[in-house]
Amino acid sequence: MSGLLLSTVLPGCARPHAELVEKPVPVAVPLKITPPAELLTCAERPDGLPEDPQLVAQMPTRLRAGVIRLARAFATAAGRLDRLIDWNAPGTCAPAGER
């Protein structure tokens, strides 16, 4: 009983009154802006290094790690570019298995 009594006496414990407030509704508008043709060109993927185990063994470890980092960064950027192009023009870039 004391909890009910305190809520009527202390204004901070009283239940707030609900008020209706009209909020603007967001509207999605499709954009019809097409990027220039040179920006819709799929990423070129050159042939990698030779897969000869003797050549890999001759490459110093730090150099090999740097080449791997560069290759991964290139693959990430090329994949991002292809996804962006496919988002603008679906089916433009071939999937990774068909390259």
Side-chain angles (χ1 to χ4, degrees):
M1 181 75 178
S2 64
L4 183 60
L5 181 62
L6 285 176
S7 68
T8 57
V9 175
L10 300 174
C13 298
R15 293 184 183 165
H17 297 285
E19 294 181 21
L20 274 181
V21 178
E22 289 191 33
K23 293 183 180 179
V25 178
V27 177
V29 179
L31 297 176
K32 299 293 181 186
I33 301 170
T34 304
E38 70 261 8
L39 296 179
L40 292 177
T41 304
C42 299
E44 295 180 25
R45 288 173 172 80
D47 294 334
L49 297 173
E51 295 185 22
D52 186 0
Q54 291 179 343
L55 291 176
V56 173
Q58 293 175 2
M59 188 181 290
T61 305
R62 289 176 44 203
L63 179 63
R64 184 170 56 242
V67 169
I68 290 171
R69 284 192 305 273
L70 287 172
R72 287 182 179 160
F74 176 79
T76 301
R80 187 177 298 133
L81 175 64
D82 286 349
R83 287 191 306 275
L84 181 63
I85 291 170
D86 281 336
W87 184 71
N88 280 300
T92 303
C93 297
E98 297 178 15
R99 291 186 188 125

